[in-house]
Amino acid sequence: MIATRMLPALGFAPRADRLVERNIMNYRRTWIVLVSGFFEPLFYLLGIGFGIGALVGNVTGPDGHAISYGAFVAPGLLASSAMNGAIYDSTFNIFFKLRYAKTYDAILSTPLGINDIAVGEITWALIRGTLYAIGFLAVMVVLGLVQSPWVILALPAAMLIGFAFAAVGMAATTWVRSWTDFDYIFVVTLPLFLFSSTFYPLSVYPEPLRTIVSITPLSRCIDLLRSLALGELSPVLLVDVAYLLVMGGVGLWVVSRRLDKLLLK
Amino acid sequence: MTTAQPIAAPASPEFAPDRPGVPEAARESLIRARGLTKKFAEFVAVDAIDFDVAPGESFGFLGPNGAGKTSTMRMIGCVSPITGGVLSVLGMNPAHDAALIKGRIGVVPQQDTLDMELTVRENLIIYGRYFDLSRREAGRRADDLLEFVQLTDRAKSTVESLSGGMKRRLTIARSLVNEPDLLLLDEPTTGLDPQARHLLWDRLYRLKQQGVTLVLTTHYMDEAEQLCDRLVVMDKAHIVAEGSPRELIDQYSTKEVLELRFPVGVLETLGTELDGLAERIERLPDRVLLYADDGEAAAAAAHARGLRPETVLVRRSSLEDVFLRLTGRSLIE
């Protein structure tokens, strides 16, 4: 047991794919629930990108060119929906299985271990998020909101966002005691969604507020996706990627530790 | 001893224990515990217990809630690290070989942990997949097991729609999907009605006949007498007695018990009138138990002394009496 604990969380999850298989089995019958996750960001895009966009008109892009407000806001919405999807999947769904259905207790009586569960569930959240991101990017292409071929990299970037938030969301869920505790999680995610430059550039904030907001996770995600969508590459993007990798890695490590404590006592 | 209800048909061949041999080291004992201890912070749940379970036997932990039964079962099932002592399961160490051990045991937990989001049959298939069975093989075993626990017609139902007894049967079917050498059952029939319990006992008896080693916990004496070849009585984290149900009754109780129930208020007034009527006398809140090899004779002697109880019952000693003798308390409070 001690030896297993000392192994790095990422290094040992040989049967994580079985968790993914279980979730596919579940959603094979309830796929309609999955489809709904695609529409949420689409409605935001139509309502805000085009509705508000009609009021705003064009905005100045990072390189000085005028771009439509829709093209500006779309990558922000993609990043936000990748965050929201991952959080949703890794909080409510995990909590139900952890505390009520005792799904993981049953699984731990089989050769699967804690790391298989942690990696498997986060992988599933990632797969789900990837499907949504593909759908959203396709809509962006159809609506003519794509400014640069680099947007193709927005897909792996969205996956990385999903990984980072799913890991942190699942870690937070291990401390949740009842359904009402989820309010604390949404007290964090809603301001992130509203104030992380999803709808307007960071430059509207005065210093030091701008710096503070710019180091919050969703700001890094939006910076990453917007830069790729608008074709504005810079070394800062590597910092964004590293930020998200560390965030996901730490989250996964915490999940493993916490599940071990909760389930193998 | 109490015999299980007659089993008409022999075990169906598809459930014959066709499994790889137990390692040489484990032939003597499938489970071996020496000084096995479990602590939760300051609380000692299991205090340095020793026991052995032989292959093919049916072994029980009998005791009240909180005695340490479930903690012991969780340690055997490799989901609870031991705090002290030595534990070997199937000849392996749970601390190092958890995945290997778990691959060859089946677990029926106290609380149902069925996958609420999947159907009855899917529950069995995915569980088989957790044990690395191919999809085809998992499906084949799922169908056989549904037949075995008489749930074939519910294969496509959701778990939620099943009755308590059906859920327990499905849980047992699930625990068999890897054709285990060792089956751990934590209070398998608690909360079930008598009919559902008998059906479960019948299935467990068949498994036992097929050579599956059963280890179960219970606080029901009738269950222990039905299913266990040998058992240990646990109380407050310790093992207080060990033997077959018959041996325990012979050792710790008399052949018969005379139960006298007096009208309200009379019991408290009784002083020395009962002395000498039996080998041992237990006063319970509502009745007096007189332990004697000849219950009828004791009843006659009590009558001769002028005692007029409301009801008189002579019965054989049971494990409940053993427990009362050993701990001074009833099993179910």
Side-chain angles (χ1 to χ4, degrees):
Chain A
M1 203 56 68
I2 290 161
T4 325
R5 278 188 187 139
M6 275 157 43
L7 282 172
L10 277 163
F12 192 67
R15 291 184 176 85
D17 60 315
R18 295 302 146 85
L19 252 292
V20 175
E21 191 176 329
R22 181 227 165 253
N23 290 331
I24 291 172
M25 197 180 248
N26 176 24
Y27 283 104
R28 214 167 42 196
R29 275 175 292 101
T30 55
W31 56 271
I32 200 81
V33 178
L34 284 182
V35 174
S36 70
F38 166 72
F39 285 103
E40 188 193 300
L42 182 61
F43 291 159
Y44 269 110
L45 183 62
L46 296 176
I48 291 172
F50 288 93
I52 309 280
L55 285 174
V56 174
N58 284 350
V59 294
T60 311
D63 60 349
H65 279 91
I67 54 169
S68 72
Y69 182 67
F72 173 82
V73 84
L77 288 171
L78 176 56
S80 300
S81 76
M83 173 187 83
N84 283 329
I87 290 281
Y88 187 86
D89 218 43
S90 64
T91 52
F92 287 118
N93 291 346
I94 299 291
F95 181 71
F96 175 75
K97 287 187 260 189
L98 182 63
R99 303 277 181 173
Y100 284 86
K102 305 274 175 199
T103 312
Y104 303 134
D105 291 274
I107 290 173
L108 286 173
S109 289
T110 74
L112 273 75
I114 291 287
N115 287 338
D116 295 309
I117 293 172
V119 174
E121 289 290 23
I122 289 167
T123 305
W124 169 247
L126 190 56
I127 291 170
R128 216 174 135 165
T130 305
L131 294 176
Y132 295 154
I134 291 171
F136 192 87
L137 285 168
V139 170
M140 279 174 70
V141 170
V142 168
L143 297 180
L145 299 174
V146 168
Q147 304 287 312
S148 155
W150 288 107
V151 75
I152 195 72
L153 287 182
L155 182 60
M159 291 170 67
L160 182 59
I161 296 167
F163 163 65
F165 279 98
V168 169
M170 191 170 172
T173 301
T174 63
W175 275 282
V176 169
R177 293 150 300 174
S178 69
W179 295 105
T180 49
D181 280 355
F182 282 113
D183 291 344
Y184 295 114
I185 291 175
F186 293 107
V187 158
V188 175
T189 57
L190 186 61
L192 284 183
F193 174 53
L194 290 175
F195 304 126
S196 295
S197 75
T198 314
F199 303 107
Y200 45 78
L202 273 179
S203 55
V204 303
Y205 290 117
E207 286 293 355
L209 196 56
R210 188 193 301 182
T211 308
I212 293 170
V213 174
S214 75
I215 59 172
T216 58
L218 189 58
S219 294
R220 296 331 310 159
C221 300
I222 293 170
D223 179 63
L224 182 60
L225 286 194
R226 188 166 283 151
S227 301
L228 291 170
L230 301 179
E232 185 214 350
L233 304 189
S234 79
V236 178
L237 301 190
L238 294 175
V239 177
D240 295 340
V241 168
Y243 183 113
L244 293 171
L245 280 175
V246 169
M247 184 175 151
V250 169
L252 189 51
W253 179 74
V254 172
V255 168
S256 276
R257 291 289 303 265
R258 286 285 301 160
L259 288 184
D260 195 291
K261 194 169 171 223
L262 288 175
L263 299 172
L264 297 179
K265 53 190 178 210
Chain B
M1 203 53 267
T2 326
T3 45
Q5 58 274 41
I7 305 296
S12 50
E14 61 266 44
F15 288 96
D18 171 28
R19 45 179 76 88
V22 178
E24 208 55 45
R27 285 214 192 279
E28 293 286 307
S29 298
L30 223 47
I31 307 173
R32 181 171 184 274
R34 293 292 177 274
L36 182 61
T37 301
K38 180 72 195 183
K39 289 183 192 164
F40 296 101
E42 292 304 298
F43 174 70
V44 183
V46 178
D47 193 0
I49 62 172
D50 300 339
F51 63 88
D52 287 277
V53 178
E57 90 172 319
S58 179
F59 184 86
F61 290 96
L62 180 72
N65 291 331
K69 309 187 301 286
T70 297
S71 295
T72 306
M73 292 291 260
R74 285 177 55 86
M75 288 189 282
I76 298 170
C78 306
V79 291
S80 175
I82 70 173
T83 316
V86 178
L87 176 65
S88 129
V89 181
L90 300 163
M92 292 177 275
N93 180 350
H96 301 126
D97 306 311
L100 282 174
I101 295 172
K102 290 193 288 184
R104 289 181 33 211
I105 63 180
V107 176
V108 176
Q110 198 174 111
Q111 199 188 354
D112 284 319
T113 57
L114 294 163
D115 201 320
M116 313 276 277
E117 295 175 315
L118 303 180
T119 66
V120 167
R121 187 167 182 271
E122 283 172 345
N123 258 277
L124 297 179
I125 291 176
I126 195 65
Y127 221 68
R129 295 288 292 149
Y130 296 151
F131 286 96
D132 294 338
L133 300 181
S134 68
R135 282 188 190 83
R136 177 192 296 265
E137 179 63 12
R140 192 187 66 76
R141 289 195 196 177
D143 293 333
D144 287 348
L145 286 166
L146 287 176
E147 196 72 36
F148 178 64
V149 296
Q150 299 174 12
L151 283 174
T152 304
D153 55 331
R154 303 303 296 267
K156 290 199 166 78
S157 304
T158 60
V159 168
E160 268 176 348
S161 68
L162 301 183
S163 70
M166 288 176 180
K167 283 181 188 162
R168 284 320 263 172
R169 266 144 60 199
L170 180 57
T171 301
I172 288 184
R174 190 183 69 175
S175 74
L176 296 171
V177 82
N178 59 328
E179 296 181 347
D181 297 316
L182 170 64
L183 193 57
L184 304 177
L185 304 126
D186 196 359
E187 298 194 9
T189 66
T190 295
L192 297 186
D193 61 53
Q195 207 184 347
R197 297 180 75 199
H198 278 282
L199 180 56
L200 267 181
W201 286 344
D202 169 62
R203 298 295 116 167
L204 293 176
Y205 191 78
R206 289 178 190 217
L207 289 170
K208 178 170 149 50
Q209 286 191 320
Q210 288 158 31
V212 178
T213 305
L214 304 182
V215 174
L216 62 119
T217 74
T218 181
H219 52 221
Y220 295 118
M221 286 64 56
D222 50 353
E223 185 157 281
E225 290 174 357
Q226 287 263 1
L227 293 174
C228 298
D229 301 324
R230 202 159 60 82
L231 53 91
V232 291
V233 180
M234 280 193 86
D235 186 41
K236 293 175 182 161
H238 292 96
I239 289 176
V240 291
E242 178 182 348
S244 69
R246 188 71 262 163
E247 285 166 2
L248 286 170
I249 291 167
D250 288 347
Q251 189 176 349
Y252 295 101
S253 195
T254 50
K255 273 204 186 92
E256 293 185 336
V257 186
L258 170 65
E259 290 198 14
L260 302 179
R261 198 180 292 267
F262 289 94
V264 178
V266 176
L267 192 54
E268 291 77 9
T269 66
L270 291 178
T272 56
E273 293 93 325
L274 296 167
D275 290 358
L277 285 177
E279 277 181 37
R280 199 165 59 82
I281 295 171
E282 285 288 348
R283 284 168 181 255
L284 300 183
D286 58 336
R287 65 211 140 105
V288 185
L289 305 183
L290 293 95
Y291 290 92
D293 283 332
D294 187 343
E296 291 294 347
H303 190 81
R305 287 194 187 178
L307 290 170
R308 294 293 178 270
E310 232 170 23
T311 58
V312 177
L313 170 72
V314 175
R315 59 169 176 81
R316 297 204 305 165
S317 273
S318 72
L319 286 173
E320 169 85 54
D321 300 301
V322 172
F323 191 81
L324 192 63
R325 168 75 187 277
L326 289 167
T327 69
R329 288 172 299 114
S330 306
L331 265 169
I332 304 171
E333 273 127 20

